[in-house]
Amino acid sequence: MPQVSKIKMKKSSHKFYLVIMLFLISTHSFGQVDTLQQLSLPQFMQMVKQFHPIAKQADLIPKSAEASTLAARGAFDPKLFYDFRNKFYDDKNYYSLGNGGFYIPTWFGLELKAGYERNQGNYLNPENSMPDQGLLYSQISLPLLQGLLIDERRATLKQAKLYVDLSEFDKINVLNELLYRAGKAYWDWYLAYANLKIHENAVVLSQTRFEAVRKTFVFGDRPAIDTVEANIQLQDRIINLQQALMEFRTKSLLLSTFLWIADDTPIELTNKTIPTDIVKDDERYFNLNVAAIDSLIESHPSLMVYDFKIKQLKIEERFKKDKLKPKLNINYNPLFSADNLNLTYQNNYKWGMSVAFPILLRKERGDLQLTRIKIENTQYENKGKRIELLNKTKASINEFSNYKIQIDIYTKNVSNYERLWQSERKLFDRGESSLFMINSREMSYINAQIKLNEIINKNKKAALETVYSFGKLSVNY
């Protein structure tokens, strides 16, 4: 009977071994380094910056600003006009009024106008009477109070010009936010892959030990219970490997949401795409004094956006203050008679003046107060954002430094755990240690490696957070 049980256990162990090997081959091919495609963080960030739809939307922000400026310049475009009115009733031409020409607004508030007017009819208003050949005229309009130094057209154009510069910082902010989210996804993907390699190696070690224990049991050097314990260890590690593989695939899918190629085509990572080995961080942002940090924060694109918004509101405030002035406009129209295309001027002209002034100025004063409230509110937002960025930057630099120290310490711990495991392994091979002890040492070593990976992940994210807090991600990549 004992011999029969040994034969059954031997057959079942062979089947189990075959299942394990098939599982490893079907679900994982990371051991074949020559067939893998490596994706580094700079390569990944460049793809995101170049092809991601949000990055392309960011490129449209300056174009939109330029279009707004073009539209604002249109307020100063010369304009052609023609107006014709005719009344014909009971076979009589009561009147025919024709007036056409061109109109030129200028940057200085002066408006120039020139045209040709010809009026005819049996019942023409004496005000519209003129020579049969018609009249050529010009007109000069000038606001003397409200609108002399600034008006709506000039205010709009000045704000549009500022928006062109502001849009560049808006674009940088959008790219920084996109690259920050993409960078975090990359380091999560890297962590999942690093842990997957650890669990893969753990399964291989456990499988090797199971085979060794099984052989020693067959030869009668170990009890049957040791094969059960080794089998349980192997099954646990296979489950851990499955979970690690699922985690890696999940993180790969999350990373794929940032990967696009030309023609707005999304791509998906395969199991054969892996991250590259970690390279040393550019530490120019992590060894700065307080003054240097303050200086870099002041040039942050988010704060520059606030500066330009305040400048735009200052232009609006100036325009609203100008609205408190009375309106006083003067028009002067020299008149010329047209006779065989020869122009003669005989001191003929029209001129006029218009004056208007609201008594209480409630609308104007209310608009000015609202603009000043906007300026004050934007200034408070600017101060709050500056402190937020400053504290966030200092915190991320502190985290980076602390995690860097922890990496150095825990790297030594991992090395010590490995030495304990290797020592226990030698004792186990000589039969001087138990399966429980070798497994305990091995699990401590595995957990230490996973813990080190997590600390490295936090360190890399802190570095990413620091560069993001300075607003330099789009520049670095």
Side-chain angles (χ1 to χ4, degrees):
M1 287 297 292
Q3 186 65 29
V4 174
S5 62
K6 288 183 181 180
I7 295 173
K8 288 183 177 180
M9 182 169 290
K10 185 176 180 180
K11 290 182 178 180
S12 62
S13 64
H14 278 300
K15 290 181 180 179
F16 186 74
Y17 175 74
L18 180 60
V19 170
I20 296 302
M21 294 305 295
L22 289 175
F23 170 78
L24 292 174
I25 293 173
S26 63
T27 61
H28 195 42
S29 59
F30 296 109
Q32 302 174 359
V33 180
D34 57 331
T35 64
L36 297 179
Q37 296 179 351
Q38 293 187 337
L39 179 64
S40 68
L41 179 64
Q43 290 172 336
F44 169 68
M45 291 294 220
Q46 281 292 332
M47 291 181 67
V48 173
K49 187 177 178 179
Q50 184 175 0
F51 299 116
H52 197 279
I54 294 180
K56 292 185 176 181
Q57 284 180 305
D59 290 334
L60 297 178
I61 296 177
K63 294 180 180 179
S64 175
E66 292 173 359
S68 297
T69 303
L70 181 63
R73 292 183 186 277
F76 296 91
D77 289 346
K79 297 178 177 62
L80 295 174
F81 67 91
Y82 181 74
D83 178 42
F84 179 78
R85 289 177 293 166
N86 176 242
K87 181 178 179 181
F88 191 85
Y89 180 74
D90 195 20
D91 292 330
K92 297 178 182 178
N93 181 21
Y94 275 60
Y95 60 81
S96 296
L97 306 178
N99 184 16
F102 63 91
Y103 163 79
I104 303 175
T106 68
W107 176 258
F108 305 102
L110 187 69
E111 296 178 353
L112 304 176
K113 187 177 180 180
Y116 173 71
E117 184 177 4
R118 186 178 183 186
N119 303 327
Q120 294 177 333
N122 296 329
Y123 302 100
L124 191 66
N125 191 321
E127 179 184 353
N128 297 321
S129 297
M130 60 183 57
D132 292 339
Q133 298 87 356
L135 286 176
L136 289 168
Y137 67 89
S138 61
Q139 176 176 310
I140 301 174
S141 299
L142 180 66
L144 295 181
L145 293 176
Q146 186 183 130
L148 177 62
L149 301 178
I150 190 170
D151 55 22
E152 186 173 359
R153 290 176 302 187
R154 281 177 277 180
T156 301
L157 181 55
K158 286 182 178 180
Q159 289 178 323
K161 288 180 178 178
L162 285 174
Y163 182 51
V164 173
D165 295 327
L166 183 149
S167 65
E168 291 295 334
F169 294 104
D170 278 334
K171 173 184 175 181
I172 294 173
N173 281 328
V174 172
L175 288 176
N176 279 337
E177 184 66 30
L178 173 64
L179 294 177
Y180 175 60
R181 294 190 291 112
K184 289 199 299 184
Y186 181 90
W187 289 122
D188 286 340
W189 177 61
Y190 185 97
L191 175 63
Y193 173 75
N195 289 341
L196 179 62
K197 295 296 291 181
I198 292 173
H199 287 293
E200 176 193 357
N201 188 52
V203 169
V204 173
L205 291 173
S206 188
Q207 178 64 50
T208 303
R209 184 175 302 111
F210 172 75
E211 286 298 314
V213 170
R214 185 188 60 80
K215 289 179 180 179
T216 56
F217 161 71
V218 171
F219 291 120
D221 295 332
R222 285 190 179 273
I225 195 65
D226 281 358
T227 60
V228 175
E229 184 176 355
N231 191 6
I232 292 173
Q233 294 170 2
L234 179 58
Q235 289 175 332
D236 287 340
R237 293 186 183 180
I238 290 174
I239 292 174
N240 291 336
L241 176 60
Q242 287 179 316
Q243 291 176 340
L245 184 58
M246 180 181 66
E247 179 73 7
F248 177 70
R249 287 175 175 172
T250 300
K251 298 303 181 183
S252 296
L253 289 174
L254 293 176
L255 193 71
S256 296
T257 60
F258 294 96
L259 287 175
W260 298 69
I261 56 176
D263 302 324
D264 300 329
T265 304
I267 59 176
E268 185 174 321
L269 293 177
T270 67
N271 288 343
K272 292 184 178 294
T273 306
I274 63 172
T276 58
D277 292 336
I278 291 180
V279 295
K280 186 178 180 180
D281 290 302
D282 181 3
E283 298 191 8
R284 55 180 165 169
Y285 297 112
F286 311 113
N287 299 315
L288 301 172
N289 56 36
V290 175
I293 293 176
D294 287 343
S295 177
L296 280 173
I297 290 298
E298 288 297 336
S299 64
H300 194 285
S302 293
L303 298 183
M304 299 302 294
V305 166
Y306 283 115
D307 288 343
F308 278 99
K309 285 183 177 180
I310 291 174
K311 289 180 182 179
Q312 287 181 323
L313 289 172
K314 288 290 186 180
I315 294 173
E316 183 179 337
E317 180 190 26
R318 183 185 171 193
F319 172 60
K320 295 296 175 63
K321 286 175 65 177
D322 191 74
K323 300 282 283 184
L324 297 176
K325 299 177 182 178
K327 288 184 178 179
L328 176 58
N329 298 331
I330 292 181
N331 298 323
Y332 177 72
N333 298 66
L335 303 176
F336 306 87
S337 62
D339 186 9
N340 297 326
L341 298 180
N342 293 321
L343 302 180
T344 59
Y345 176 65
Q346 299 177 343
N347 198 28
N348 299 319
Y349 62 88
K350 293 191 300 182
W351 81 279
M353 178 180 66
S354 61
V355 181
F357 184 66
I359 297 176
L360 300 179
L361 290 172
R362 286 183 291 192
K363 180 180 184 304
E364 290 75 11
R365 288 188 288 115
D367 289 342
L368 180 58
Q369 289 177 11
L370 286 174
T371 302
R372 286 175 173 170
I373 290 172
K374 289 180 183 178
I375 292 174
E376 190 173 2
N377 184 61
T378 306
Q379 288 172 339
Y380 284 133
E381 288 181 358
N382 187 17
K383 292 177 181 178
K385 187 66 174 179
R386 183 185 180 281
I387 295 300
E388 177 187 342
L389 290 172
L390 188 60
N391 291 337
K392 185 183 293 186
T393 302
K394 290 180 179 179
S396 58
I397 291 175
N398 184 54
E399 287 182 4
F400 174 83
S401 301
N402 287 336
Y403 285 130
K404 185 179 180 183
I405 295 173
Q406 291 183 31
I407 289 173
D408 294 337
I409 295 173
Y410 221 83
T411 300
K412 296 177 182 177
N413 282 352
V414 170
S415 178
N416 290 333
Y417 277 118
E418 184 180 12
R419 289 174 61 189
L420 288 175
W421 167 62
Q422 291 288 3
S423 176
E424 198 69 38
R425 187 176 181 181
K426 292 177 181 178
L427 292 175
F428 180 80
D429 291 340
R430 293 199 300 263
E432 299 175 4
S433 178
S434 65
L435 194 59
F436 172 80
M437 284 301 299
I438 184 63
N439 182 63
S440 177
R441 297 293 191 194
E442 197 168 82
M443 285 304 302
S444 296
Y445 175 50
I446 291 171
N447 291 335
Q449 292 179 82
I450 293 174
K451 179 66 175 179
L452 178 60
N453 287 341
E454 292 173 352
I455 296 175
I456 293 174
N457 176 262
K458 292 177 180 179
N459 175 260
K460 292 300 179 181
K461 284 186 176 180
L464 184 74
E465 177 83 24
T466 300
V467 182
Y468 168 71
S469 299
F470 281 124
K472 301 295 184 182
L473 276 177
S474 62
V475 177
N476 281 19
Y477 297 103

